[in-house]
Amino acid sequence: MTNELIAVSVLWGFIFIYAVMATMDFGAGFWSMIYIHRDKANATKIANRYLSPTWEVTNVFIVAIVVALFSFFPGAAFLLGTVLLVPGSIILILLAIRSAFLVFAHVAKEYEKALTYISGLTGIIIPALLISVLPITHGTFIEVDEGVPTLNLKRFFTSPHAYSFMGFAISSTLFLSSLLLADYSLEAGDREAYRLYRRDAWITGPISLLMAAGMMLTMHNEAAWLYDNMMEYWPWLAGSVAMFAAAGMALLLPSAKHPGVRGRPRLAVVAIVIQYFLASYAYGKAHLPYMVYPDVTIESAFTHPDTFRALFVSYIIGFLILFPGFVYFWRLFMHDKRYVRPK
């Protein structure tokens, strides 16, 4: 494997981890807003309890993505930083507002309701804006005027391809977060909240699959080069659909740990994460060697080999230090009864 492939694999790994964790985080904020007036259910409390510690961990990976992009692929960072000035600035503003309310809501109780609405609204807007980076890299919306790349906003905001990606991001956010919150509700012993989130997963799951199909259709029309490449990896896409079906079956199985409850949400969560992994692998392989089609490839944007080796060793050491902490955090967060089932 070449240095360029190793570097882009590290970057892709950070993006995938952030996509999964952020999906759960943003979706929890939306469901908290939806169920805020449901007095007989603790769905909002469950979502807020999940939301509270995870947003700090999630933000670690978005920093890692930016650092990896600028350090490994400075050529691509320049182009993307230029064309993404407007959407990138909006994302940063929304993340700052959301983070500020998440902090202040734990200090002043009068901010709790505002936090619910702010985290709920940004929980569907931010994923849509984040995923918009992908269709932009397909090359359709970038124009070069006197050597300066710019984003054609009119073409972008009138493109079905861009909106199909946004729709997929929103539906996937709601689907995966509802699955995880169903699992978390079951661990907390709240069967009413579990019933609500399991129902939400049944609704948003098929919608997410339809959005993915729509994304492929618009890709065929607006980014035929990528569509043709993805068809070469059809076994990965077929495996992705099979894992979606496995997740649906998991929600029908009787629970082994909770008698009288139907569904194994943790198994469904694992199946969907594998589903996203398979689909994103097919997409990533089909996208290579381009980082931004057709001008920037992983070879043309790559940093100096000596710089890469030093950075790669630093990433390995940093990962070895952080990984045990993330594992401990997850086990504490999901299994410590003092937090999962507070009195």
Side-chain angles (χ1 to χ4, degrees):
M1 183 179 289
T2 64
N3 289 340
E4 293 85 354
L5 284 177
I6 294 173
V8 80
S9 298
V10 172
L11 179 61
W12 174 84
F14 285 145
I15 293 173
F16 178 77
I17 294 172
Y18 176 74
V20 172
M21 294 188 66
T23 291
M24 298 172 179
D25 181 33
F26 292 133
F30 178 81
W31 294 121
S32 174
M33 179 184 70
I34 290 297
Y35 292 120
I36 188 172
H37 297 298
R38 181 75 66 103
D39 296 331
K40 294 183 180 180
N42 291 322
T44 290
K45 292 181 180 179
I46 292 289
N48 285 338
R49 202 182 305 156
Y50 172 82
L51 188 64
S52 177
T54 54
W55 69 276
E56 300 171 357
V57 177
T58 302
N59 287 339
V60 171
F61 288 95
I62 195 170
V63 174
I65 292 170
V66 174
V67 173
L69 178 63
F70 273 83
S71 56
F72 289 153
F73 301 100
F78 170 76
L79 176 60
L80 290 174
T82 303
V83 301
L84 295 176
L85 182 61
V86 173
S89 298
I90 296 173
I91 291 171
L92 288 176
I93 292 172
L94 292 176
L95 283 172
I97 294 173
R98 188 172 189 267
S99 298
F101 274 91
L102 283 168
V103 171
F104 291 132
H106 296 289
V107 178
K109 295 299 180 183
E110 60 267 22
Y111 284 99
E112 284 188 352
K113 192 170 184 179
L115 162 67
T116 300
Y117 287 106
I118 291 295
S119 63
L121 293 175
T122 55
I124 57 174
I125 297 174
I126 294 176
L129 292 175
L130 285 171
I131 204 172
S132 66
V133 176
L134 296 182
I136 289 173
T137 64
H138 299 170
T140 309
F141 312 107
I142 298 177
E143 297 178 346
V144 179
D145 185 14
E146 297 181 356
V148 179
T150 58
L151 178 64
N152 189 322
L153 293 175
K154 180 180 178 181
R155 186 185 301 169
F156 178 79
F157 284 110
T158 56
S159 168
H161 190 45
Y163 286 111
S164 68
F165 270 80
M166 293 181 186
F168 176 72
I170 294 172
S171 59
S172 295
T173 295
L174 301 182
F175 177 42
L176 187 52
S177 61
S178 62
L179 280 178
L180 189 84
L181 289 173
D183 179 37
Y184 195 60
S185 300
L186 209 53
E187 285 291 324
D190 194 324
R191 296 195 177 187
E192 176 63 18
Y194 169 72
R195 184 187 64 80
L196 290 174
Y197 286 126
R198 179 175 178 269
R199 181 203 63 188
D200 294 330
W202 276 114
I203 296 172
T204 55
I207 294 175
S208 179
L209 189 63
L210 288 174
M211 288 293 178
M215 193 167 58
M216 292 297 294
L217 288 176
T218 58
M219 185 184 296
H220 182 267
N221 295 329
E222 298 192 33
W225 67 274
L226 182 58
Y227 176 86
D228 293 338
N229 289 345
M230 287 193 70
M231 289 299 100
E232 296 181 6
Y233 296 93
W234 66 266
W236 293 85
L237 299 177
S240 176
V241 175
M243 294 310 299
F244 178 84
M249 293 296 296
L251 290 177
L252 294 174
L253 295 174
S255 175
K257 295 174 57 178
H258 305 274
V261 175
R262 182 171 292 278
R264 299 186 183 182
R266 186 162 302 180
L267 184 60
V269 170
V270 172
I272 293 302
V273 171
I274 295 174
Q275 178 206 359
Y276 287 169
F277 176 84
L278 296 175
S280 62
Y281 178 84
Y283 174 85
K285 288 289 288 183
H287 207 291
L288 291 177
Y290 302 104
M291 295 196 72
V292 181
Y293 183 83
D295 300 316
V296 181
T297 64
I298 58 175
E299 289 82 8
S300 65
F302 193 58
T303 187
H304 192 276
D306 293 337
T307 302
F308 162 73
R309 284 189 285 270
L311 290 169
F312 184 68
V313 171
S314 300
Y315 273 107
I316 294 297
I317 295 173
F319 182 77
L320 292 176
I321 294 173
L322 291 175
F323 182 74
F326 289 135
V327 173
Y328 177 74
F329 163 80
W330 185 255
R331 290 182 61 84
L332 185 68
F333 174 58
M334 290 298 292
H335 297 287
D336 193 325
K337 302 303 180 183
R338 294 170 297 177
Y339 185 79
V340 177
R341 300 186 181 185
K343 295 181 179 179

